[in-house]
Amino acid sequence: AASRLEISMPAVVEVEIGGTARIECNFDIPENASYTYIDWFYLDRSNRQVRLFHVTASGVLEDKTDYKGQLSLGEDKALSISSVTVQDARTFMCQVGAGSYGMGENSTELSVYKVPKTPEIVPNSGGISVRSNEVPEIARCISRNSFPPPNITWHKNGEQLQPRENQVAMQSTLTRESSGLYTVSSTLYAPVTREDRHSRYHCAVHFWLRGQRRALESQGVKVKIFYPTEHLKLQVVPSSALVKEGDNVTLVCEADGNPPPVFTFFKKIPNDWQDLSSLVEPESGVLNLHEVNKSSSGTYRCQSLDLDDMTQREEDVDLVVNYIEGVRVKMEPSSTLREGDSVTLSCDAHSPVALDYQWRDGKGRKLADGNQLFLSNLTFETSKTFSCKVMAPSVPGLEQSKQVSVAVEGKPRIVAISSPLYVRQDEVVNLTCKAIAFPPPTVQWSINGTAHEYVDNQHVASNLTVRVSHDLLQAGAMCRVSNRLGVSEKHIQLVDQKSTAESQGVIIVAIIVAILVVAVLGAVIYFLHKKGKIPCGRAGKQDITKPEARKDKIVVEVKSDKLSEEAGLLQGANGEKRPAADQ
């Protein structure tokens, strides 16, 4: 048991603004005696005690104070304060009277707080030059609605910055709002270098919460840094090694300064430089060259002008436009070719890169690789047109073609006629004669009629429309094809369809007569057999060379495997059944 009155209270109670604070008053009275009264007070700004509650055995008395409606006492006589504000950050006292054991008291410091909002960071919007003579402003940081006032620190690339004379400075401003909360702002001043274009800055607000140091960080920001150009690069897109005639080429000039400098393009000409500003996209380092050709090759220059310090830099690049020119095909021999001759075609071209050659016929079919093509045993049917395709393997898409015509001369050759042609007298028919030749031939007919000619390359076809006469049937027609190298002729035979029909009738009559002869012969044989003049039986056959056979008898050989069939026929013919021996 306690020897004297003891009162215990927490030294500090923390509560967030707007919350409810609960302050306990625990006491021990010797011999478990009861208290006489319990009083709750707070200390005002003058450090005077202002009573809140007076508790006795008969009841609880709440004094009239500014806390009206915010205070309450628990069964354990603990003091509760609701809707805590900034003004409630003060000392609260509990006083206990215990009669003969005297009076005791203790106090608790009520600490109120408001966690600040996440700090906002605003970088310098105008940009900072590395040539600035003064230490420039990097960014501003603001933290609002906190209590008590927090502290702001600055960080660069994750490392905290410390103030340094004439180098790094941090200016802070503290503002107390009407709500009693604080807004704190801080401005960072620091020099910058070219490398700071990649740096990230952020600020952090620090505060105490329940005895521990806490922090909230802003987002990281980059600052626009202005610095002069140190390196200039000029390149060809696509790669200059692959540029060919007809391509669209872009020259790109890049500088590592910020802001980008002003670019100007030039092309080297004899003893001077040609200004190409009219071809440059506005405010860019891009020069567009459309459908370049051999003359587009040369040295190009990009010149940069830094408007900050008016310094100039230059960079050159060589543009090589690959091309193929002078494609020609030579034919040996170059004299006139005849059927059966041979010829060699040679292809040649000029280019700054290695070339491959390929030969194709008039239908696009590949014939051979290499710059020569040998053709032997030429005929009219040999392809009239050949092409030499010249390609640059190192430059995809760079190619040219050259065609050559190979004319094979010879006398005409008739390849088709409409013979024999079956006709009727007085009808109108078409006679056809087809030939091949070069030079182009003329077609003549031995008879008069209406002729129509059709020419396809070396082929010529003539259709002659005529009326069939008796003389035409007898003599036929002659097709004559000629050019300066010779003549070819072929005869067309006309066959009268009437004569053909009569011949066919004779054949049919002959066939009918033959059938009748066979029928009569069969009847004779049957009659002789019926009269028994022809022996027949299963014994097989009789030899007509036996001496006892009579010379005037007809002997017929019948094979045994036909007996049953013939027996049936004979029986059916006579209408009566005869003994097997008679049969």
Side-chain angles (χ1 to χ4, degrees), residues 530-541:
K530 185 175 181 182
K531 296 297 184 177
K533 300 299 183 178
I534 301 176
C536 183
R538 296 185 181 273
K541 61 181 180 179

Side-chain angles (χ1 to χ4, degrees), residues 106-118:
N106 207 339
S107 64
T108 294
E109 187 73 26
L110 180 60
S111 175
V112 300
Y113 66 89
K114 181 67 174 178
V115 175
K117 291 185 178 181
T118 301

Side-chain angles (χ1 to χ4, degrees), residues 438-482:
F438 189 82
T442 58
V443 181
Q444 294 176 319
W445 292 90
S446 61
I447 59 175
N448 294 327
T450 303
H452 299 278
E453 287 192 4
Y454 306 93
V455 178
D456 180 18
N457 291 329
Q458 290 96 340
H459 290 81
V460 60
S462 179
N463 289 338
L464 182 68
T465 303
V466 297
R467 183 176 296 277
V468 179
S469 64
H470 176 74
D471 293 340
L472 181 58
L473 277 172
Q474 297 297 319
M478 185 69 71
C479 171
R480 185 176 187 273
V481 186
S482 63

Side-chain angles (χ1 to χ4, degrees), residues 418-423 429 431 466 468 472-474 476-477 491-496:
S418 54
S419 179
L421 183 64
Y422 294 92
V423 299
V429 297
L431 307 182
V466 297
V468 179
L472 181 58
L473 277 172
Q474 297 297 319
H491 180 263
I492 296 179
Q493 178 187 1
L494 279 69
V495 180
D496 191 347

Side-chain angles (χ1 to χ4, degrees), residues 220-234:
V221 295
K222 283 187 175 182
V223 180
K224 188 184 298 182
I225 306 296
F226 298 140
Y227 45 87
T229 296
E230 292 184 354
H231 302 95
L232 194 65
K233 182 172 69 173
L234 178 61

Side-chain angles (χ1 to χ4, degrees), residues 117-133:
K117 291 185 178 181
T118 301
E120 303 171 4
I121 186 169
V122 180
N124 187 323
S125 59
I128 305 170
S129 174
V130 296
R131 292 192 176 96
S132 177
N133 295 324

